[in-house]
Amino acid sequence: MHVARIGGLLSSLLAVAAAATLSTQGLYDLVERRLPGHSNDFVFTLNDTAHTNSSKPPNDAYLVSTHNNGSISIEGNSLSALASGLRRYFVDVAHVDMYWFIGSRLNQTTSPLPRPTESITGSSIVPWRYYFNTVTFSYTTAFWTWEDWELELDWLALHGVNLPLAWVGFEKILLEVFQSVNLTTSEILPFFSGPAFQAWNRFGNTQGSWGGELPLQWIDTQFELQLRILDRMLALGMTPILPAFTGFVPRALIDVHPDSLVVNGSQWEEFPTEYTNTTFLEPSDPLFDTLQDAVIAKQLEYYGNITTFYTLDQYNENDPYSGDLDYLRNITHGTWQSLKSANPAAVWVMQGWLFTSNADFWTNERIEAYLSGVEEDEDMLILDLFSESQPQWQRTNSYYGKPWIWCQLHNYGGNMGLYGQVSNVTVNPIDALANSSSLVGFGLTPEGQQGNEIMYKLLLDQAWQKTSIDTESYFHDWVRVRYAALNSTVPTELYAAWELLRTSAYNNTNLTSNAVSKAIFELAPNVTKLTDRTGHHPTTINYDPAIVVEAWTYLYNATMSESNLWLNPAFTHDFVDVTRQVLSNAFVSSYKGLIATWNTTSTANATTLQAHADELATILRATDQILSTLPQFSLAPWIASARQWATYPSNTTSQSNVSAMADFYEYNARNQITLWGPDGEISDYASKSWGGLVGDYYLPRWETFLDYLVGVSPKAYSDVEARARVAGVEKAFQVAGTGLGVRKAGETGDVRSVVESAVVPALKKLALV
Ligand SMILES: *[C@@H]1O[C@H](CO)[C@@H](O)[C@H](O)[C@H]1NC(C)=O
Ligand SMILES: *[C@@H]1O[C@H](CO)[C@@H](O)[C@H](O)[C@H]1NC(C)=O
Ligand SMILES: *[C@@H]1O[C@H](CO)[C@@H](O)[C@H](O)[C@H]1NC(C)=O
Ligand SMILES: *[C@@H]1O[C@H](CO)[C@@H](O)[C@H](O)[C@H]1NC(C)=O
Ligand SMILES: *[C@@H]1O[C@H](CO)[C@@H](O)[C@H](O)[C@H]1NC(C)=O
Ligand SMILES: *[C@@H]1O[C@H](CO)[C@@H](O)[C@H](O)[C@H]1NC(C)=O
Ligand SMILES: *[C@@H]1O[C@H](CO)[C@@H](O)[C@H](O)[C@H]1NC(C)=O
Ligand SMILES: *[C@@H]1O[C@H](CO)[C@@H](O)[C@H](O)[C@H]1NC(C)=O
Ligand SMILES: *[C@@H]1O[C@H](CO)[C@@H](O)[C@H](O)[C@H]1NC(C)=O
Ligand SMILES: *[C@@H]1O[C@H](CO)[C@@H](O)[C@H](O)[C@H]1NC(C)=O
Ligand SMILES: *[C@@H]1O[C@H](CO)[C@@H](O)[C@H](O)[C@H]1NC(C)=O
Ligand SMILES: *[C@@H]1O[C@H](CO)[C@@H](O)[C@H](O)[C@H]1NC(C)=O
């Protein structure tokens, strides 16, 4: 590792950490990054420096106006208030914004920058705006570069987020801490999971890594990335939530400390014992305190005294060793004491997911006992993780008084489908605020940061409005800012398209299906149980698919009057996304036709059967082509970003190690989105509608299956045979370096040409347009 380099970063970090609470420099830097040459147009005035340093702040407030000297003046009581005021200026005055996937559109405004003609004020209705799920660090950011993080952190700051999780590089801390209690590096490394699976190791769901051991190189480079992330979070007025010691330890701890009080955690998702049943050190063992102290102290040493918030989950999808109420109270009590002795100001942040996912175990009596071990309510902060669909705060009487945050989870595994609960996320957090005195924030906890960005902006904006946002005008304004800029008008068809989406795909109210829907073509082919699934990965379509086709037609028609839309990255992104949904929905009805025909198979309709099979393949080919037109809908960047970590920093590793490491990282990237586990333990959980993945994974799975199906009657059909054939395709895809699914940018053409050559003909054939 480059000690000098780390040292340099560290001292600059500490300097920034000390100054960040007082300095508005980070905001000028943000403007300069996104609008080069324009930071001098702004004057940021922080009027309450005590506030920024507080772990229980009052609400934020800003005032945007035109200064006497002509500058754009933004005054506020915290850095986050200033950043929020800045975005309000961008959206309401300059009519530009910043987005996932397409990046910053801030420079699409006019020059000189427009001045506010009247003052604009804003006040948050909650002190905290939270972001991230522990697993987002694996499903989305696992292989992110610093440039990816820079964009993300600017987005978070502008959207008023002031309390983000900061998990990156934690294994460096754990490694050194376990070394400090006499475990050797070779005893520790086998504990860690691979780069794409670290979240579940941090939760104690998994231990170890299939396909190879986690290299030290990964641990070091991620730690270096974390230093930069924290540096920037502080500069932008965010309070990072750092990890703490949970109790999960390498198995070898038992040999080194034979007297330690350890138990095995439960088995997770049918994983073999080798990779789960993670060893857990009981908080009542004095060694637990030693390790907690070391983890907190090491972070203070490396990062400075930058936060009082620590994320700590011991029973996420992992049941306690005992359900005894005393035992549960002792667990939290011991853990809390260890945190407080390591940092007297510590606040324990906990994902409340366990109470949803393992509701059978977590009776109210047990939840109350468990939470009561933390004797000071203010020392805990609970994330009500899935508030829009399965809120737990009512049944737990607001977590028995602990401060908590209303969170929208929205998607599982970064699945891709147009989806939202526009009514719920605008109505329910406002109701909760009126009905729960310990509600202190609104937050976003998506498993993957994948799509439907409007739903995420909606809740963060709701944090600044006392009454429920009127979603009709919100969607209208979104269309204007997203596609246009100050001096252009937006074709009316675009408004019409989004209004249709708002009242259909974005207005799910039937919560038997309660999160982003999944395309059935992403599931292993089968003759049963693919459609009409409910729950967290629903395949039920809770709206009339014809409405999304109509929205598609509006978008397409808009290009007739405004052909420049083909050059607009916001438009092409959304058009590809809606096309994806139209084709995915069409696949469902086509599949139903196939199965209905097959169930009455006779030689007479073999031709009909083959025609159905061909139609499914046609839909998948068109889907693969349209997705491949844009990198954000393609597999290639996911693989490339995984591989590039092996060459970072470029001069520390030998060439042969580099290619072995790159292959290992690529295997992780491929495995997570397909088999998810050495043997498909939760296969297709994190599936994606990505160009390359559709063409080289889902399509061959279906072709293999359909080839078998058209030649076999329902009576002769063998599930074992079908599975074996499909499994061959799945295994082949895991192998790194084959190039499977990796399309070159632009290989299939640009959006317009693919829409005209493949999509429109396919939709015509399906009689959809
Ligand atoms: C700081 O500015 C905000 C926005 O103008 C205002 O609401 C708040 O009262 C000010 N705070 C102080 C201490 O002046
Ligand atoms: C605007 O910003 C984008 C994204 O940062 C960049 O790609 C583009 O070149 C910029 N355009 C201009 C005109 O500066
Ligand atoms: C504004 O209008 C001018 C002149 O028509 C054009 O060149 C420019 O691209 C437009 N800017 C935006 C952001 O649409
Ligand atoms: C580690 O080993 C050293 C030397 O054997 C011993 O003095 C020390 O107590 C051990 N530390 C722990 C935490 O067991
Ligand atoms: C793993 O956990 C399961 C319960 O989830 C338990 O039945 C099994 O005995 C455990 N195995 C080990 C080796 O601890
Ligand atoms: C961190 O800073 C706070 C005040 O900002 C102080 O109360 C606390 O003692 C410091 N913690 C450590 C471990 O230095
Ligand atoms: C809980 O802790 C108390 C005090 O340390 C101890 O007396 C009791 O036996 C513990 N109970 C359980 C079930 O572990
Ligand atoms: C939001 O979802 C919750 C949980 O299912 C439900 O109780 C509530 O009625 C919903 N609210 C709205 C406005 O849809
Ligand atoms: C959403 O659907 C519900 C139930 O069908 C309906 O009452 C409500 O008006 C719809 N809201 C929107 C925004 O379409
Ligand atoms: C909600 O969805 C379920 C599952 O698809 C369905 O059975 C039920 O009829 C739906 N309820 C309503 C009110 O539409
Ligand atoms: C799209 O344009 C066609 C041709 O002008 C027209 O027939 C159709 O009604 C339009 N559809 C929508 C949804 O705008
Ligand atoms: C089809 O689904 C059933 C039920 O989930 C399962 O038992 C079977 O193995 C699946 N068949 C294939 C070919 O995957």
Side-chain angles (χ1 to χ4, degrees), residues 744-762:
K744 286 195 193 69
E747 188 179 313
T748 58
D750 64 11
V751 177
R752 180 181 198 163
S753 67
V754 173
V755 165
E756 281 160 7
S757 68
V759 174
V760 170

Side-chain angles (χ1 to χ4, degrees), residues 53 296 300 304-308 310 342-345:
N53 218 3
I296 304 296
L300 276 163
N305 186 6
I306 59 170
T307 188
T308 55
Y310 296 95
N343 181 348

Side-chain angles (χ1 to χ4, degrees), residues 506-541:
Y506 286 114
N507 182 37
N508 182 42
T509 54
N510 184 342
L511 296 183
T512 54
S513 302
N514 55 27
V516 162
S517 58
K518 206 178 176 86
I520 66 163
F521 64 68
E522 295 171 4
L523 296 167
N526 207 321
V527 291
T528 181
K529 299 227 161 63
L530 296 187
T531 61
D532 304 315
R533 289 188 185 182
T534 55
H536 299 163
H537 299 265
T539 58
T540 307
I541 301 167

